[in-house]
Amino acid sequence: METKKPSDISAYEVQDISDVVGSFGPWQRRVFIIFFYINIVGIWQNLSITFLAPNMNFWCIEPNSTDSFSLPVLPNSTDQMLRRLSNNTSKDECMITVYSEQNATMVSFVNVSQPETVPCTKWQYDTSYTSQTLVSEFDLVCDREWLVSLAKSIYMIGFLVSVILFGQLSDWIRRLPTIFISYIVTTISLLLFLLSTSYLMFVILRFFQAFGRTGLTTIGFVLLMEIVGPQHRTEAGIAIQLGWTVGFITLALVGYLFRHWFWFQVAMSVPILPLVFFYKFIPESPRWLLIQGKVKQLEKILIEGAKLNGQELKYQIKDLKMLKEQKTGQNRSTSNVFDLFRSPKMRSRVLNMIYLWIVNAFMYYGLSYNTNDLAGNPYLNFFLAGALEIPAYASVFFGIKKWGRRPTLTFFMLAGGCACAAIIAVPESILWLTTAFAMIGKFCISGSFGVLYLYTSELFPTVVRNVAIGTCSMWARVGSILAPFVKELGKATHVSVPNIIYAILAVSSGLLALLLPETKGQKMPDSLLEGEHFGEHGPLKDRGNCSKNEK
């Protein structure tokens, strides 16, 4: 049956916002472009630590010396002097070998006593690939190296707090004011970051960067899904994530061009500033206005959207069936997060999904952060890791259309786990093969993450859909908070431990995904009862979820 145009639908037939303004026209496209751009500069913030605090080769130098070749003599309280015996720090760059000199005024003609090894207090850094970084600025090496991983985790804690707070705030005070607050927090923290004079100031401002930036992108994604019609939500939901991919790739170029941490941060901050001029082009969520009964504001936005999309309205907004139903309370819901756990099937599915989100976030950020641990040029490695997301998303789009959500997700998770496991067996001398398997793992985990957003939104009923996505996203931050420390775990135990962990988690996730029902071609559940029995019957065509290619 041919789909009616919005202008041909009567007020009584209107069931969705898109029936009034159209599914995906210039009105929605404008918002899509704005948040696509925000995703580009947003992933810059997420992964900028890779270039702000990269791996740097370093070596000990004596205190008060300006280079590694001077050999100053330093007296102490017992009139002894310490001088470095050797420039060779291959065994331990964090220690320096010294010997004492009794009553000497010159380096020559001294009696050499038993050598002594003491901790370094000053280092020189290899700037072959970088200039001044936060590692060299704050000496984040040796017993302070773990502070880099801590900074990554603190950023993700800001991500977690933002998901909880801004998600609730957007339901209270509307989407648009919440987006503006997020923008202000992001801009101020980015600019203040340029004035960082200590590690503590650096991590505090990184927390607020994550706090503000996350509000921009997560609320923006929700807003986009609320104004795009059901016929285009699958495509729009996957396409908007390509903004992360573009940002990932372009960040390698930004890092290559701006190798001093200060100018690199300037390059991170400037693209955020013009967003203030885009504010007037972002509409308030019509669905939020509908639920809150804001009829006049809803009417203004729908008329503007319909006009921009070239749609002619033949009825009054106040006569819409969905508005009358909302007024009588037919569509109202008092559901909350606890409703996800009341019934057995829903409970097992949400716990399964939470585990999948944790594992995906853990592996995605773990593999993305550590691209400069791989052999070769760090900028090229980072570029390739980002570029791999383009075919990954293309594969996802093909897979979910042809085979469905569950088999596609399972395939990517199992393949990613096998790639990480294969790294363990690669000899240390074949570095290119290790890099290749790591890139395959990154490819697969990018694809599975792309499936998760769509799969989660389709699996749970309308009355708890936003709550389900928010809950899963919140728990995903636990994985991203832990991800930086897998590198430290490998250093403390064995170099293969991180890949063993990745392999076990990915394979177990892929197998657990088989327990979830397929959503391809299924009518999305609305009530909690429908959600509990979802997947028990054969596929039912749904106007909002079954495209021509999903028959």
Side-chain angles (χ1 to χ4, degrees):
M1 182 178 179
E2 185 178 354
T3 305
K4 292 184 178 181
K5 297 179 179 180
S7 57
D8 298 331
I9 298 176
S10 67
Y12 186 76
E13 294 177 298
V14 171
Q15 297 180 358
D16 189 84
I17 298 297
S18 62
D19 291 335
V20 179
V21 299
S23 182
F24 193 81
W27 186 59
Q28 292 95 340
R29 196 176 301 122
R30 184 170 64 183
V31 178
F32 176 89
I33 292 172
I34 291 173
F35 285 104
F36 188 89
Y37 175 79
I38 290 176
N39 277 356
I40 293 176
V41 296
I43 196 67
W44 285 6
Q45 305 306 321
N46 281 19
L47 300 176
S48 62
I49 192 70
T50 305
F51 298 109
L52 286 170
N55 292 343
M56 297 183 72
N57 292 326
F58 60 93
W59 53 90
C60 286
I61 58 176
E62 295 88 346
N64 300 325
S65 69
T66 57
D67 57 63
S68 61
F69 301 102
S70 59
L71 298 172
V73 179
L74 303 174
N76 61 16
S77 59
T78 62
D79 200 30
Q80 285 188 325
M81 299 180 181
L82 299 179
R83 185 167 75 92
R84 183 171 56 180
L85 272 179
S86 172
N87 289 332
N88 181 12
T89 57
S90 60
K91 290 184 178 180
D92 190 349
E93 294 86 352
C94 301
M95 305 295 290
I96 187 169
T97 304
V98 299
Y99 63 86
S100 61
E101 302 173 358
Q102 295 283 352
N103 303 318
T105 58
M106 298 180 62
V107 171
S108 59
F109 308 110
V110 296
N111 295 320
V112 180
S113 64
Q114 184 67 30
E116 181 183 1
T117 301
V118 296
C120 286
T121 58
K122 190 174 181 181
W123 297 266
Q124 189 169 9
Y125 297 89
D126 179 9
T127 56
S128 300
Y129 286 113
T130 63
S131 178
Q132 183 81 339
T133 71
L134 293 176
V135 172
S136 56
E137 182 80 8
F138 302 130
D139 284 329
L140 302 180
V141 295
C142 296
D143 59 349
R144 288 169 56 83
E145 185 178 5
W146 69 277
L147 294 176
V148 176
S149 295
L150 179 63
K152 296 174 182 177
S153 293
I154 288 176
Y155 182 90
M156 288 303 169
I157 292 174
F159 205 133
L160 171 63
V161 175
S162 180
V163 168
I164 298 172
L165 181 60
F166 280 125
Q168 189 65 59
L169 191 63
S170 68
D171 287 336
W172 288 344
I173 66 170
R174 296 181 298 171
R175 313 295 193 232
L176 206 52
T178 307
I179 290 173
F180 186 73
I181 293 172
S182 301
Y183 171 78
I184 295 298
V185 173
T186 303
T187 303
I188 292 175
S189 58
L190 282 172
L191 295 177
L192 287 177
F193 185 87
L194 297 172
L195 305 177
S196 295
T197 56
S198 67
Y199 174 80
L200 180 60
M201 184 176 179
F202 156 61
V203 294
I204 290 174
L205 290 172
R206 282 284 292 174
F207 171 88
F208 283 104
Q209 285 178 31
F211 180 71
R213 203 265 332 139
T214 303
L216 273 176
T217 52
T218 54
I219 305 304
F221 180 81
V222 171
L223 175 61
L224 181 66
M225 293 298 98
E226 289 177 334
I227 66 173
V228 172
Q231 299 95 324
H232 293 91
R233 279 183 198 143
T234 297
E235 290 81 357
I238 293 177
I240 194 67
Q241 295 181 58
L242 287 174
W244 299 106
T245 303
V246 175
F248 203 131
I249 294 172
T250 53
L251 182 59
L253 177 61
V254 175
Y256 179 80
L257 295 175
F258 301 93
R259 303 195 183 191
H260 192 289
W261 75 266
F262 179 86
W263 296 112
F264 178 75
Q265 185 60 28
V266 170
M268 296 289 98
S269 306
V270 170
I272 291 286
L273 301 180
L275 291 176
V276 69
F277 301 109
F278 299 158
Y279 185 74
K280 63 179 181 179
F281 298 113
I282 304 174
E284 184 51 75
S285 167
R287 292 181 179 276
W288 188 92
L289 296 174
L290 176 66
I291 292 173
Q292 299 299 323
K294 308 287 186 181
V295 180
K296 290 185 178 180
Q297 297 178 49
L298 175 64
E299 183 175 16
K300 180 181 178 181
I301 287 177
L302 292 183
I303 290 175
E304 178 186 351
K307 181 179 179 181
L308 195 60
N309 283 350
Q311 304 295 339
E312 180 184 356
L313 300 183
K314 298 181 180 179
Y315 44 77
Q316 297 293 320
I317 298 298
K318 63 182 180 180
D319 296 330
L320 295 180
K321 176 187 176 183
M322 62 179 184
L323 183 59
K324 292 181 178 180
E325 289 179 344
Q326 186 64 40
K327 287 182 177 180
T328 58
Q330 293 181 27
N331 291 332
R332 293 186 182 273
S333 169
T334 58
S335 300
N336 54 53
V337 65
F338 299 106
D339 290 317
L340 292 169
F341 299 92
R342 296 191 194 283
S343 53
K345 289 184 179 179
M346 192 98 71
R347 180 168 56 248
S348 65
R349 289 169 187 170
V350 74
L351 290 175
N352 196 339
M353 271 297 182
I354 286 174
Y355 181 72
L356 287 168
W357 277 73
I358 291 175
V359 171
N360 272 262
F362 178 78
M363 293 186 64
Y364 182 87
Y365 284 102
L367 293 171
S368 298
Y369 280 144
N370 297 327
T371 53
N372 55 15
D373 289 334
L374 302 175
N377 187 298
Y379 301 102
L380 179 60
N381 288 339
F382 193 88
F383 171 82
L384 291 176
L388 283 172
E389 294 194 3
I390 296 178
Y393 282 122
S395 301
V396 165
F397 192 77
F398 175 80
I400 62 176
K401 290 286 187 179
K402 186 171 182 64
W403 298 300
R405 284 59 166 160
R406 182 175 61 187
T408 304
L409 177 62
T410 299
F411 170 78
F412 275 114
M413 293 302 299
L414 293 178
C418 291
C420 291
I423 296 176
I424 302 170
V426 177
E428 293 183 4
S429 58
I430 313 180
L431 296 177
W432 67 267
L433 189 56
T434 298
T435 301
F437 280 128
M439 292 298 176
I440 293 173
K442 175 62 170 56
F443 170 90
C444 292
I445 209 64
S446 298
S448 64
F449 224 154
V451 177
L452 270 185
Y453 274 95
L454 177 64
Y455 201 3
T456 306
S457 67
E458 294 177 335
L459 188 60
F460 295 98
T462 302
V463 292
V464 289
R465 185 167 296 126
N466 284 337
V467 172
I469 295 175
T471 300
C472 291
S473 181
M474 180 187 71
W475 280 100
R477 296 319 115 208
V478 174
S480 56
I481 289 170
L482 296 174
F485 286 100
V486 73
K487 176 181 177 181
E488 308 301 326
L489 181 61
K491 290 182 178 180
T493 55
H494 191 275
V495 68
S496 297
V497 168
N499 288 308
I500 292 174
I501 294 175
Y502 290 147
I504 293 174
L505 292 177
V507 171
S508 62
S509 296
L511 295 177
L512 284 173
L514 294 173
L515 301 177
L516 297 170
E518 177 56 59
T519 61
K520 177 178 179 285
Q522 295 268 13
K523 180 182 181 299
M524 291 174 68
D526 290 316
S527 66
L528 291 173
L529 183 61
E530 290 178 2
E532 178 66 11
H533 295 289
F534 182 72
E536 293 180 356
H537 308 289
L540 296 174
K541 286 187 179 181
D542 175 53
R543 182 175 65 93
N545 267 328
C546 187
S547 66
K548 293 180 181 179
N549 294 328
E550 290 187 349
K551 292 181 180 179

